[in-house]
Amino acid sequence: MAIKRNGCEGCTDITCVSTQQVLSQDIAKNVRTAYDRVKARGMSACLFGSGGTCCRNCNMGPCQIIDGVEDMLGICGATADTVAARNFARVVAAGSAAHTDHAREMVKGFLDAAKGHGPHQIKDVPKLKRLAEVFGIVTEDREVKDIAVELGEKALAEFGKQDDAPLSMLKRATPKRQAIWKKLGIAPRGIDREVVEMMHRTHMGVDQEYENIMLQASRCALADGWGSSMLSTELTDIMFGTPVPRRAIVDLGVLKADQVNITVHGHEPLLAEALCIAAQDPEMLELAKKQGAKGINLAGVCCTGNEILMRRGIPVAGGFVQQEMVIATGAVEAMVVDVQCVMQSVAEVAKSFHTDIITTNYRAKMPGGIHIQFEEHEAINSAKQILTHAIKNYKKRGKCFIPQETKMDVVVGFSHETINTMLGGRFRASYRPLNDNIINGKIRGVAAIVGCDNFKLADDTHETIVKELLKNNILVLATGCAATSLGKAGLLNPEAARFCGDSLREVCEAVGMPPVLHMGSCVDNSRILIAATEMVRQGGLGDDITDLPAIGTAPLWMSEKSVAIGQYFVASGAQVVFQDLPVTGAKNFNKYLLEGIMGTLGAHWNVAKEPLEIARIMIEKIEAKRDALGINKKKERVLFDMDMRRDLGGGGLKDVGCHGPSAS
Ligand code: NFS
Ligand code: SF4
């Protein structure tokens, strides 16, 4: 049903029931949201911007370049292909920089925890040791603290490394992939260095050959995927615990009418974790009671929400497109934000309510926001200061509306380690059963659906794509705001197996797992790199990621980070499908991304606008990989022996009541 409110006809694309309900309330009648602005703009994106051929890299311009028209080059002579490639590469650099700055904070937080400063400890010692070995650190007969400090220091050094040796974690990739990177000269060296070199090479008058620009774009993106994002995921796991399957709830209905609602929005789990700890403090609970509230209800928004959802089961109120709606409920005392994906409009929406927007990171302030700096060395005190402010707002709450009936159960927490144990049996953790099920065709392949949601396509796009994939027996991995939207659609619980084709349903029911596995936030796409590599290592599915019947999509990408992710997937050998790319104004470069880049990397970008078209491409690519592997030939049906049955059922979620064995 389309929403009708205040003449907002542009909102007819909203299919999300909780959003519809909130926006149709009287209390929200003065709220202007992105849906209104999309309508006001009439969806007319800038022609040159969306085609990627507007250059403002020097002051002889800005130049609008028309491909193929002689006098419509840049003043410097730059062609449409060069300009589009430079712009695209800068998007990759910006996305990588965002993940990198986030990861640096996490590594510094890890080092503090290792040294015994602050509230956090080393929770996952086996994982610490495994990662330490990747960094060549001796683990035998050593104190956990010493290993952790050495790992933290070596991890931090990866950012500013100046020698030409590759980043340490690249050696986790398949030998074939490492050889490709070496041959092309794109194995990333220092993480920060690759972003800087990308910015340098796209400065006026430097790199003017799009293939060469894309080599550095790949190196920069790989520094993100196999460098900063992977460091963030792994060290956050070691510090806060590697996620194991747990039940939780998502959607606006997670807000509570009789409690202080505090939403935490942004990306860095250090802040969110500190808030979680402080919210359990008797002093804080007492203060909430004094204000007349029954308790303190923390809920997540965007990726920081995914982090605490995965590790603590803290509910998620909404993804990117719902951030304004969270406030428009009138039920939120404070929205605490740090960095990335926070729309400036939340401060404007908050003006209609008692809600305070509390900024906490010196990097990210906002007109209309209240700044309370989160000090990592004083994490709990900082968190208490933030909570105190929010709690005191409770009494000011006016009329509110929480769409109760729209909250949805989810099972989350599928780290690479969990998948290993869950599918591999309790005693012999491995990806063997997954590979076997792919080889025997019960699971046709694996699709990763990642990234943002935005206001360009209908908000049920993820759901439409995933249902089509499930019907075709493709197992789905999800992260980021895509995962949140799938959770709201009821696809992240075991009952969603009913949407699967017969053979995938059989596997999901045997294990008791959802057919869509929530693997975390956007930095956790690095888990997908590790999982894919592990599938290769298990054998039977080729000798590189590029051979796997697997594909990724970020259909509703919004953030530059999504493009960085897309590029590191491609540079790691995985195909990706996006809804659009800002390169269509440059014929050769566009073709290069969609086809030519395959020649060097073994994977390329795909573009399709319609959800079902995206799903169709994904299914076709997966089937083509199966053909190439020779696993689509008709085979005699193999009857399961007892060992195989045990593997399928033994370590499954049914056995462990959704709390899983320790993933380590
Ligand atoms: Ni990812 Fe997460 Fe969401 Fe997109 Fe933004 S929150 S890091 S960028 S919008 S998925
Ligand atoms: Fe124009 Fe070239 Fe300057 Fe870009 S670098 S603004 S194309 S003159």
Side-chain angles (χ1 to χ4, degrees):
M1 189 196 67
I3 185 170
K4 302 247 183 299
R5 76 173 191 113
N6 307 328
C8 169
E9 290 141 35
C11 300
T12 47
D13 270 338
I14 305 175
T15 59
C16 168
V17 178
S18 57
T19 295
Q20 287 180 7
Q21 289 184 353
V22 169
L23 290 185
S24 55
Q25 299 301 310
D26 225 32
I27 51 164
K29 69 172 182 284
N30 294 324
V31 169
R32 307 324 284 162
T33 69
Y35 293 105
D36 299 300
R37 291 186 292 279
V38 166
K39 188 193 166 222
R41 203 176 69 171
M43 282 305 283
S44 58
C46 162
L47 183 71
F48 279 96
S50 52
T53 57
C54 171
C55 181
R56 48 182 179 81
N57 288 12
C58 88
N59 199 35
M60 293 189 288
C63 300
Q64 292 183 334
I65 293 136
I66 300 179
D67 203 4
V69 178
E70 201 177 335
D71 287 333
M72 292 303 284
L73 299 170
I75 301 294
C76 67
T79 62
D81 292 323
T82 300
V83 168
R86 285 200 303 226
N87 287 338
F88 187 80
R90 284 194 166 199
V91 170
V92 171
S96 303
H99 284 148
T100 297
D101 226 23
H102 162 171
R104 189 194 332 275
E105 290 305 309
M106 293 314 298
V107 175
K108 285 167 79 178
F110 175 86
L111 201 47
D112 280 345
K115 289 177 179 166
H117 306 154
H120 308 302
Q121 292 95 33
I122 301 302
K123 279 202 181 141
D124 190 339
V125 175
K127 184 156 184 166
L128 167 74
K129 291 188 176 167
R130 283 199 301 277
L131 192 65
E133 274 155 25
V134 174
F135 278 79
I137 296 167
V138 178
T139 56
E140 231 168 276
D141 301 325
R142 286 185 76 191
E143 294 286 328
V144 166
K145 182 182 172 180
D146 294 341
I147 301 171
V149 170
E150 191 177 343
L151 176 60
E153 281 166 352
K154 288 209 158 137
L156 199 54
E158 297 277 281
F159 293 89
K161 207 163 75 57
Q162 301 299 331
D163 62 44
D164 291 341
L167 294 176
S168 303
M169 287 187 296
L170 297 191
K171 57 171 104 64
R172 302 175 93 180
T174 66
K176 194 168 170 189
R177 192 47 42 182
Q178 292 182 57
I180 291 171
W181 293 337
K182 191 165 177 207
K183 181 167 159 243
L184 294 173
I186 59 169
R189 304 149 298 181
I191 299 171
D192 293 343
R193 176 180 178 179
E194 305 310 350
V195 178
V196 170
E197 185 171 316
M198 191 75 266
M199 294 308 284
H200 172 204
R201 282 168 67 162
T202 51
H203 180 277
M204 190 273 152
V206 188
D207 202 350
Q208 338 244 13
E209 191 183 81
Y210 61 80
E211 291 99 330
N212 206 45
I213 292 170
M214 283 312 294
L215 286 177
Q216 180 58 20
S218 288
R219 178 151 59 181
C220 180
L222 290 169
D224 174 350
W226 295 85
S228 49
S229 282
M230 198 174 281
L231 277 177
S232 183
T233 295
E234 302 292 60
L235 296 187
T236 307
D237 277 359
I238 294 170
M239 185 166 38
F240 297 150
T242 304
V244 293
R246 62 180 80 240
R247 286 193 182 278
I249 43 174
V250 296
D251 214 342
L252 295 177
V254 307
L255 299 173
K256 292 187 175 153
D258 53 3
Q259 296 200 16
V260 177
N261 290 307
I262 299 166
T263 55
V264 41
H265 176 10
H267 283 80
E268 293 177 6
L270 282 167
L271 165 71
E273 282 283 330
L275 288 171
C276 290
I277 296 170
Q280 292 163 0
D281 189 292
E283 188 195 343
M284 291 291 109
L285 292 166
E286 193 48 45
L287 185 63
K289 291 225 167 77
K290 266 200 199 136
Q291 306 296 311
K294 289 226 171 89
I296 302 169
N297 182 37
L298 274 186
V301 176
C302 280
C303 274
T304 214
N306 283 318
E307 300 268 4
I308 46 178
L309 173 76
M310 287 272 281
R311 296 199 180 83
R312 288 178 173 266
I314 301 278
V316 167
F320 177 75
V321 290
Q322 274 194 304
Q323 55 189 293
E324 294 163 316
M325 271 45 90
V326 169
I327 299 171
T329 59
V332 173
E333 276 55 58
M335 177 176 266
V336 184
V337 307
D338 56 9
V339 289
Q340 302 170 21
C341 303
V342 180
M343 294 206 290
Q344 188 167 350
S345 60
V346 292
E348 194 55 39
V349 177
K351 282 185 189 161
S352 301
F353 303 93
H354 71 306
T355 312
D356 279 326
I357 307 295
I358 302 180
T359 58
T360 59
N361 188 309
Y362 73 90
R363 295 173 181 84
K365 297 189 177 179
M366 199 188 298
I370 294 166
H371 190 76
I372 304 178
Q373 180 63 36
F374 175 68
E375 302 288 355
E376 267 139 43
H377 292 279
E378 283 290 324
I380 298 303
N381 281 343
S382 280
K384 281 188 184 172
Q385 206 189 332
I386 294 165
L387 291 182
T388 303
H389 187 95
I391 293 167
K392 289 189 173 160
N393 249 355
Y394 181 74
K395 277 195 165 154
K396 295 189 215 149
R397 192 193 285 180
K399 257 183 101 182
C400 69
F401 171 78
I402 300 170
Q404 276 304 333
E405 65 280 15
T406 55
K407 57 186 169 206
M408 185 59 83
D409 291 325
V410 293
V411 178
V412 298
F414 295 92
S415 54
H416 143 70
E417 289 84 349
T418 297
I419 296 176
N420 220 355
T421 326
M422 176 180 76
L423 285 161
R426 195 167 296 160
F427 305 108
R428 284 170 295 145
S430 92
Y431 274 56
R432 192 69 253 158
L434 175 62
N435 280 28
D436 286 344
N437 276 307
I438 292 174
I439 293 166
N440 70 27
K442 284 192 174 180
I443 299 175
R444 305 302 295 176
V446 180
I449 184 155
V450 311
C452 325
D453 34 24
N454 70 39
F455 306 93
K456 276 186 170 178
L457 285 188
D459 50 16
D460 57 357
T461 297
H462 292 115
E463 183 185 345
T464 309
I465 295 172
V466 166
K467 282 187 174 161
E468 192 62 21
L469 296 172
L470 296 182
K471 208 162 73 188
N472 285 278
N473 296 303
I474 291 167
L475 180 68
V476 177
L477 312 177
T479 59
C481 293
T484 304
S485 86
L486 293 170
K488 283 166 52 186
L491 291 167
L492 295 186
N493 56 53
E495 294 77 58
R498 71 180 186 280
F499 296 112
C500 302
D502 290 344
S503 58
L504 177 60
R505 189 172 61 230
E506 195 183 306
V507 176
C508 289
E509 285 173 354
V511 181
M513 69 178 192
V516 182
L517 304 180
H518 189 320
M519 294 188 81
S521 65
C522 280
V523 290
D524 293 336
N525 285 318
S526 59
R527 298 187 198 279
I528 298 176
L529 296 176
I530 296 294
T533 304
E534 196 49 43
M535 285 167 70
V536 173
R537 199 157 284 139
Q538 264 303 317
L541 294 173
D543 52 12
D544 188 19
I545 290 180
T546 191
D547 300 325
L548 293 175
I551 187 161
T553 182
L556 295 183
W557 78 275
M558 166 286 297
S559 147
E560 292 163 313
K561 290 175 282 174
S562 294
V563 180
I565 292 163
Q567 189 59 39
Y568 74 61
F569 270 29
V570 169
S572 302
Q575 302 262 354
V576 295
V577 195
F578 273 41
Q579 162 215 341
D580 56 7
L581 291 175
V583 299
T584 48
K587 208 167 79 228
N588 297 323
F589 179 58
N590 192 15
K591 193 158 185 258
Y592 181 69
L593 288 185
L594 300 184
E595 293 171 22
I597 202 166
M598 175 90 179
T600 47
L601 294 174
H604 60 85
W605 291 80
N606 300 269
V607 168
K609 195 109 205 148
E610 293 306 318
L612 286 177
E613 173 70 1
I614 292 173
R616 186 190 59 76
I617 292 175
M618 297 175 84
I619 294 163
E620 276 176 17
K621 298 277 176 196
I622 282 175
E623 288 301 326
K625 294 288 181 193
R626 295 185 60 86
D627 284 339
L629 283 167
I631 55 175
N632 266 351
K633 290 190 205 110
K634 274 215 152 59
K635 273 196 287 193
E636 255 182 72
R637 209 192 139 113
V638 185
L639 289 175
F640 268 27
D641 62 21
M642 274 319 285
D643 262 7
M644 290 162 93
R645 277 180 204 285
R646 247 197 315 274
D647 272 345
L648 257 184
L653 295 179
K654 274 188 173 163
D655 258 21
V656 295
C658 275
H659 279 87
S662 158
S664 40

